[in-house]
Amino acid sequence: MDSIQLHHLLGKMTREEKIGQMVQLAGEFYKEEDSENTGPMHEMNLSPEKMSTIGSVLGVSGAQTLIDIQKEHLAKSRLGIPLLFMADVIHGYRTIFPIPLGIASTWDPNLAEESAILSAKEAAVSGLHVTFAPMVDLVRDARWGRVMESTGEDPYLNQLYARAFVRGYQGKDLINNKMSVAACIKHFAGYGAPIAGREYNTVELSERTLREMYLPAYQAGIDEGSKLVMTAFNSLDGVPATANKPLMRDILRKEFGFQGVLISDWASVGEMISHGIAADLKQAARLALKAGVDIEMMTGGYLNHLHDLIEEGEISESLLDEAVWRILTLKNELGLFEDPYRGANSKEEKTIVFSLKHREKARKIAEESMVLLKNEKQVLPLDIQQKIALFVPEEQSKDVLGAWSWKGQQSESVSVYEGLLQHVSKESIVLKTYSPLKNENHKDWLTEVKNVDVIIIVGGESSYMSGEGASRSNLKLPAEQIQLIKNLRTTSKPIHLILFNGRPLDLTDISQDVDSMIEAWFPGTEAGSAVANLLFGQKNPSGKLTMSFPRTVGQVPLYYNQDSTGRPLTPYNQDDKYLSRYLDVENSPLFPFGFGLSYTEFKYSPMQVTVAESKEEVRIEVTITNNGNLSGAEIVQLYIRDKVGEVVRPVKELKRFKKIFLEPGQSAEVVFQLQKQDFKYVHQDLSVSVEAGEFDVMIGSNSEELEIETIYLDFKKK
Ligand code: GLC
């Protein structure tokens, strides 16, 4: 439909029909049993007439199901305006990829994009039009359960991933590529910084920190063309995001130039009452519309009060028209007026969803996402002749999909045991399931393991302990896992720990008791295949952390790009008490941002740093050699430090990285170029610029093992 026709359609709509477009209902409203206006329809005071005006549905999929719902809806819709179908396809639809924190550990935005392309295909052929992804909240607090959904603590990396996911979901031609879906970046803004890491808690960020650390990834997703943005549950500077006019109308709309649809998070309009800034749903609806929320998810504020608010002169109908125009435009950009069923195709659904090709890609990404945290004495990779004792937590051996794996079926995932059987026979594995509930002494097992060569323990978190509503005050492994490790440590057998979890954990209690550790995250459908391929060396681990692992939860929030403070702890003043430090633990993480080992060894030449004549650009070169006898990938990282700023500057900032693959003995030169733009930062007056002065440039394989050189750059004030 062209814009004249679209304006014409808007002009024909009644106020009730406009309001209906701004309401999103869950799929259960469209289930047969509710048609007699009972259940949720009753709560929302939804008459069948009103039902015929609704604009979008969330959380239901299946090609035939959505075709039927759409057909029935269109038969009742006076103007034939199709429904939008939206859902949480966060890291896969039914083929589940690693959680985003795992995908991020590949340091390969192309893999993120590929996972999104395949996820979009499965979602689109199943009838969906929009995914509520990517989540691009920067995170620094491992107590918060939704760090699993983020790409970590660095704004530069998060921007690259935000763009990659949006590109993957939407492709370049949303209207003609029916195997794409519209992206919805979330949660605007600052949801990743709840005080005390407690879910839905208050967020207090200075606007400068918000702009320097948290906003860049949202801006990147919008610049990449994300069609929707979702509001955050949290208050920011005392005002819930969903009612925060300066955040939505000034920053998101005016400054970022976002023209798409702004949708509230689930019931976040209604939650303004609990926040205490709206006395009732009517007032909440007024605040949300004034802030510019176009679609209200799952509460009846707009549905039941916008009409009266207009009649009472509280809001102008033009705000409705503005919102409905954006909703109709989105439907038009998806081609729904020409084809309301878009990609839904129950025949193709059978071959595309959960295809072997998709699962193979999921396995590859899972392999690249896993991080080798420890491998002393090179006990890995395993020899296929070795006899193995495998300990898995009962009921959790297939709990590998993570908390946002909607249509993913644990029963369809590959357990570690099944993965090992792809390499060795049943006879070489003694399988034991330990109870996550009982603290056993495992005496009998200590005898049994005498007859094996190696011990593999699968531990970490259950998916229940991760994701939304899963904040934890303690980051340790469950007590029975620690006990099992301690008991098995009394044998002389090498212990390999495989961690399935959705956040940085406190591994201090056991890191000395195991001989190797693989951080596998929640790796998705092909978990066991990927783990086994790493254990037997078919794949050399290459993943690196994008979120710091603390020594203890007491250090959190903990992140690499921290400020120096006036009394920094350094290698030269370790004995001073009056420093920015703790009495009982080091400041450093147990495993730092950017850390990950390999089965081979990469050697770095001294870096060559060349400052351009202009003194505004710098070139950094380094040669990497694979000194081992296994091929593998290394992620070379470049950090800077602005030694003197007009506001305090982080002790280091990731500015470039390169993932290179080297055969044994092979070398490769890596060259990075930095320009003035790379050194700019947000000043106290919120302007973005940079001054001349000294800068450190740092190269290395993680954020702590770095070669440093100090240079002088003379940026001309322009
Ligand atoms: C949830 C989440 C949001 C999700 C939405 C719809 O509460 O906060 O990320 O997209 O509701 O399920």
Side-chain angles (χ1 to χ4, degrees), residues 399 402-403 410 461-471 503 522:
D399 185 4
Q410 286 192 17
E461 293 181 310
S462 70
S463 53
Y464 176 79
M465 297 162 75
S466 175
E468 184 173 356
S471 290
R503 59 168 32 97
F522 286 109

Side-chain angles (χ1 to χ4, degrees), residues 138-182:
L138 184 131
V139 293
R140 297 172 148 177
D141 193 324
R143 293 170 293 184
W144 189 49
R146 298 190 78 164
V147 299
M148 51 73 61
E149 215 177 325
S150 77
T151 50
E153 68 194 44
D154 180 73
Y156 172 68
L157 260 181
N158 290 351
Q159 292 175 73
L160 296 177
Y161 282 118
R163 287 181 175 275
F165 279 117
V166 169
R167 270 198 312 273
Y169 288 124
Q170 297 190 165
K172 292 185 173 49
D173 181 4
L174 199 59
I175 193 158
N176 294 312
N177 171 7
K178 303 214 184 291
M179 288 294 107
S180 63
V181 292

Side-chain angles (χ1 to χ4, degrees), residues 156-224:
Y156 172 68
L157 260 181
N158 290 351
Q159 292 175 73
L160 296 177
Y161 282 118
R163 287 181 175 275
F165 279 117
V166 169
R167 270 198 312 273
Y169 288 124
Q170 297 190 165
K172 292 185 173 49
D173 181 4
L174 199 59
I175 193 158
N176 294 312
N177 171 7
K178 303 214 184 291
M179 288 294 107
S180 63
V181 292
C184 174
I185 61 165
K186 65 187 188 182
H187 306 78
F188 200 69
Y191 181 29
I195 288 175
R198 199 179 78 220
E199 184 61 282
Y200 314 126
N201 202 9
T202 304
V203 171
E204 282 296 350
L205 290 169
S206 69
E207 185 167 348
R208 203 190 63 76
T209 300
L210 178 74
R211 286 178 173 280
E212 174 131 356
M213 292 291 170
Y214 292 81
L215 292 186
Y218 300 116
Q219 170 120 49
I222 289 162
D223 292 349
E224 197 63 38

Side-chain angles (χ1 to χ4, degrees), residues 24 58-59 87-88 90 131-133 135 146 149 184 186-187 191 199-200 230-231 233 264-267 297 404 468:
Q24 179 169 92
L58 86 148
D88 295 285
I90 309 297
T131 178
F132 295 129
M135 183 267 221
R146 298 190 78 164
E149 215 177 325
C184 174
K186 65 187 188 182
H187 306 78
Y191 181 29
E199 184 61 282
Y200 314 126
M230 183 185 290
T231 68
F233 285 121
S264 80
D265 200 341
W266 182 288
M297 186 193 289
W404 275 114
E468 184 173 356

